[in-house]
Amino acid sequence: KDILNTIFKQYGLSSGNLNHYKTGKPYFKGQNIKISKSKRGNIIVYAFSYKDEIGVDIEKTNKLSDIENFSKYFFLNKHAKDIINRIGADQLSAFYTYWTLYEAYAKLTGKGLVYVLQNKLDSVPRIQSIIDNNFFYTFRIWPHFIGTVVSGRKKRVKFIKI
């Protein structure tokens, strides 16, 4: 918490203004700063944006027993085929890249991943637009963590490593 307060101070923010919607999405009361948070294991990632909604997700790239069926079930056909056509570590990396993209998109909208997955047809045009227009940035933390930041428009991403 001390580290986060240090970052907040650097950008003129106060943790006292940090609140959460009913969905759990964080926001700064009375500020144009948008925030998203993801935690996996001992890794916590925050993404901040001025005015534009933002979403971030990070996942540990655990091996999956049936990656093809998971892909077909969770993702759009186009994305599932992209994953299935890959081999080994590349296939696992592609799966988690799409997974973090979908989840970061869900956080951007504030509707949650279950909503996005249950309403894929409604979400498809927006997710594909994000992919087509490079409104996302995928990153790695150590060899076994993949994350994605999604924004409403293309932005420069600045990482603060702590």
Side-chain angles (χ1 to χ4, degrees):
K1 203 164 189 167
D2 290 337
I3 293 170
L4 192 56
N5 284 329
T6 301
I7 294 169
F8 287 171
K9 284 180 186 176
Q10 182 180 353
Y11 291 94
L13 303 170
S14 167
S15 61
N17 291 341
L18 185 62
N19 295 294
H20 293 82
Y21 294 108
K22 289 179 184 177
T23 60
K25 182 176 175 135
Y27 71 95
F28 285 100
K29 186 177 179 182
Q31 303 268 345
N32 279 327
I33 304 296
K34 306 298 180 178
I35 182 173
S36 183
K37 173 186 172 185
S38 184
K39 181 177 190 262
R40 184 62 58 216
N42 61 351
I43 304 289
I44 300 174
V45 178
Y46 287 91
F48 299 89
S49 175
Y50 181 70
K51 292 185 181 178
D52 296 315
E53 291 297 336
I54 193 161
V56 66
D57 185 50
I58 185 138
E59 294 292 336
K60 186 172 184 188
T61 56
N62 295 315
K63 291 189 180 186
L64 299 172
S65 59
D66 194 354
I67 200 165
E68 290 187 19
N69 281 329
F70 278 123
S71 299
K72 289 175 185 175
Y73 181 78
F74 288 117
F75 303 123
L76 307 173
N77 288 338
K78 179 178 181 176
H79 302 157
K81 285 179 185 176
D82 182 35
I83 294 165
I84 292 166
N85 289 335
R86 296 172 187 240
I87 298 170
D90 192 39
Q91 187 180 58
L92 192 64
S93 180
F95 177 88
Y96 282 105
T97 297
Y98 281 114
W99 182 268
T100 58
L101 174 68
Y102 277 52
E103 188 149 350
Y105 170 75
K107 290 178 180 181
L108 176 138
T109 64
K111 294 181 179 180
L113 184 61
V114 172
Y115 175 87
V116 170
L117 293 174
Q118 288 177 345
N119 298 280
K120 284 189 272 192
L121 293 180
D122 293 337
S123 302
V124 169
R126 187 72 181 121
I127 291 172
Q128 196 58 50
S129 174
I130 285 168
I131 292 170
D132 292 344
N133 293 298
N134 280 333
F135 294 165
F136 73 99
Y137 181 80
T138 299
F139 58 92
R140 283 193 171 270
I141 297 177
W142 297 318
H144 301 292
F145 288 88
I146 290 178
T148 300
V149 177
V150 173
S151 174
R153 58 186 168 147
K154 195 170 186 176
K155 291 194 174 20
R156 180 180 61 126
V157 175
K158 178 180 180 182
F159 283 94
I160 302 171
K161 189 175 181 180
I162 300 172

